[in-house]
Amino acid sequence: MTAIATPRHRVSAAVAHVHAELDAVTDASVWSMDAAETGQTLTALTRARARLAELEARVAAHADDLHVGSEVGASSAANWLAHQTRATRAEAHRAVRFGHDLEQHTLTRDALATGDVLAEQARVILRWVDRLPTDLGADTRGKAEQHLLAQAKDHDAKALNHLGRHLYEVVAPEEADAHEAAQLEAEENAAAKACRFTIYDDGHGQAHGTFAIPTYHAAALKKALSAITAPKHQAATHGAGAGVERRPTPEAMGEALCELIERYPTDQLPHTGGVNATVTVLIDLDTLLDRLEKACVLDTGEKISPGLARRLACEAGIIPAVLGGHSIPLDLGRKRRYFTEHQRVAMLLRDHGCTAEGCDHTTGLHAHHRTRWVDGGQTDLDNGVSLCHWHHNRAHDSSYDTTYLPTGKVQFHRRT
């Protein structure tokens, strides 16, 4: 960090003075402060932190206006600040935006500058005031800001955020119901578009993930999991005195999610590539009958223990593909044009994904006849291959040549 040798501006001089005073107490012991003075000092430091946050935001916005950092090729003052201070770019940009936002809300800026509100409270106030319709007028918006500033004296940022949702009711009560309905609809539409789900396996028997779903679906999911973890349900399932917590813990909710997944009626799941979206477990007959302990493979490539496979085969809606046991006939010859579900499952287990060279798709696969059915091809496993939607279209595209390799892979070449 570059230091200013001789501060000229009063703000620079004040910051230098603060550093000098802090340097003076760097090694000072606090053990001799009594409880009353310790409490007063702690609250004073919290207030000082708020005041410094306002000053930092004000200077950061000014740096943005001056394009500080452009002389060394920085794309923005925020990026320059992040590099100079080792702060994250997100945090540096947040400071700059905060400064510009405070320029538009002098009441909140003044309250933060005097330490009457904390930075997190100020951010909440700015967010909800800015969400008010612009046609309300400056006076009404000013009253809204004053209202939240008054509430900040008795509420932390979390409670203030809840009050902010009802800000329109305070400043325009006659229009509040219609505004709330419109606001909820907008939020629901935005939430529906922002749905996301990611999951990855850590290679040690656990999967981790994150998701973002609309409030309604989150409430429904939470209610379903709470019902599974309810003491009455647990007592009915595991017997009385099962040691169930009255309030579900995160661990209990996680177990409930696993139970919900296992119990979901698989016949309600949509079909992908003609096969119900149900996990298939490849299991030896000896393993199924508990005569041999051998890892079992899922059609998605993961492995599970034989004990879990046996339990799922008894309880859950999986498809156990038993090797060496009595199987359903898979080769139907010319009797049917389309592959059956059992044939498709067998193909998925054999091919482990799309058979096109270079393709790694493993879900939503189609069953394709190597020799077309209309050309006399049999509807059996030897004449069937798994292809993803895109490559299945290429297989029926006259502008491509399709080559079936001895390895089981399929090559496509555009005709010249």
Side-chain angles (χ1 to χ4, degrees):
M1 244 178 269
T2 304
I4 301 176
T6 306
R8 294 180 297 170
H9 194 280
R10 58 188 298 188
V11 172
S12 300
V15 172
H17 180 69
V18 168
H19 278 290
E21 291 296 325
L22 291 174
D23 289 340
V25 297
T26 299
D27 298 323
S29 174
V30 298
W31 69 267
S32 59
M33 283 197 298
D34 59 24
E37 188 176 8
T38 300
Q40 292 172 358
T41 303
L42 189 58
T43 55
L45 284 170
T46 301
R47 185 164 175 254
R49 179 160 51 88
R51 303 181 75 177
L52 284 173
E54 183 280 327
L55 184 58
E56 179 193 19
R58 195 184 342 153
V59 176
H62 181 57
D64 187 51
D65 293 336
L66 295 178
H67 305 289
V68 169
S70 60
E71 69 280 0
V72 293
S75 58
S76 68
N79 287 343
W80 173 88
L81 177 63
H83 177 73
Q84 290 291 314
T85 62
R86 304 299 181 266
T88 63
R89 290 192 177 189
E91 186 60 28
H93 280 276
R94 192 166 179 248
V96 171
R97 287 195 303 271
F98 192 31
H100 286 308
D101 290 342
L102 287 171
E103 291 173 346
Q104 308 301 318
H105 301 277
T106 56
L107 293 175
T108 302
R109 189 201 71 82
D110 292 344
L112 184 61
T114 56
D116 291 333
V117 297
L118 303 179
E120 56 185 347
Q121 289 176 303
R123 293 181 190 276
V124 170
I125 293 171
L126 299 185
R127 180 167 65 251
W128 285 110
V129 171
D130 285 342
R131 286 191 180 186
L132 292 174
T134 55
D135 58 5
L136 284 180
D139 290 342
T140 303
R141 294 169 68 85
K143 291 178 181 178
E145 189 174 354
Q146 288 176 333
H147 170 74
L148 288 182
L149 285 170
Q151 296 298 318
K153 296 178 181 179
D154 302 309
H155 299 89
D156 62 18
K158 184 177 180 180
L160 199 62
N161 187 59
H162 178 74
L163 294 172
R165 295 186 64 88
H166 304 280
L167 185 58
Y168 200 94
E169 298 174 17
V170 177
V171 298
E174 66 284 352
E175 304 172 15
D177 289 342
H179 173 74
E180 183 181 29
Q183 180 180 337
L184 287 172
E185 183 177 0
E187 289 178 351
E188 289 165 358
N189 291 335
K193 293 178 180 178
C195 278
R196 57 187 296 271
F197 176 82
T198 59
I199 189 169
Y200 70 94
D201 194 287
D202 63 8
H204 300 285
Q206 279 190 324
H208 310 263
T210 59
F211 66 86
I213 57 177
T215 297
Y216 161 73
H217 298 88
L221 176 61
K222 187 175 181 180
K223 194 167 185 178
L225 298 182
S226 296
I228 295 175
T229 60
K232 287 185 177 180
H233 172 76
Q234 292 296 313
T237 304
H238 304 291
V244 181
E245 297 285 343
R246 188 160 295 279
R247 287 190 64 184
T249 62
E251 293 78 11
M253 294 291 274
E255 293 174 1
L257 178 59
C258 292
E259 183 174 342
L260 183 66
I261 294 171
E262 290 185 14
R263 299 294 185 184
Y264 191 87
T266 55
D267 58 356
Q268 299 298 312
L269 291 172
H271 284 61
T272 57
V275 180
N276 185 286
T278 308
V279 173
T280 304
V281 180
L282 194 63
I283 182 171
D284 288 334
L285 179 61
D286 287 339
T287 301
L288 183 64
L289 298 178
D290 203 9
R291 296 194 298 235
L292 175 68
E293 292 298 294
K294 181 181 177 181
C296 302
V297 183
L298 305 182
D299 61 343
T300 53
E302 292 87 353
K303 292 184 177 181
I304 61 175
S305 69
L308 177 59
R310 285 190 289 267
R311 181 177 69 80
L312 294 177
C314 293
E315 300 178 2
I318 67 167
I319 301 174
V322 183
L323 301 180
H326 298 289
S327 59
I328 296 177
L330 299 177
D331 296 323
L332 301 184
R334 295 283 299 168
K335 292 182 180 180
R336 293 187 57 170
R337 174 173 182 174
Y338 299 107
F339 290 98
T340 67
E341 179 175 349
H342 293 89
Q343 286 177 306
R344 293 170 189 268
V345 169
M347 266 187 267
L348 293 176
L349 292 169
R350 180 195 65 193
D351 298 335
H352 301 293
C354 178
T355 54
E357 277 198 333
C359 184
D360 58 0
H361 279 77
T362 59
T363 60
L365 302 181
H366 298 189
H368 171 67
H369 289 80
R370 291 166 54 122
T371 301
R372 295 189 308 170
W373 189 84
V374 295
D375 294 333
Q378 302 288 314
T379 304
D380 54 35
L381 289 182
D382 290 339
N383 193 45
V385 294
S386 301
L387 292 175
C388 66
H389 175 75
W390 196 88
H391 282 112
H392 196 192
N393 286 336
R394 300 293 75 74
H396 292 280
D397 188 342
S398 59
S399 62
Y400 281 84
D401 283 323
T402 304
T403 304
Y404 298 95
L405 304 177
T407 60
K409 291 294 184 179
V410 183
Q411 286 182 340
F412 295 96
H413 295 283
R414 187 186 292 275
R415 294 175 179 172
T416 56

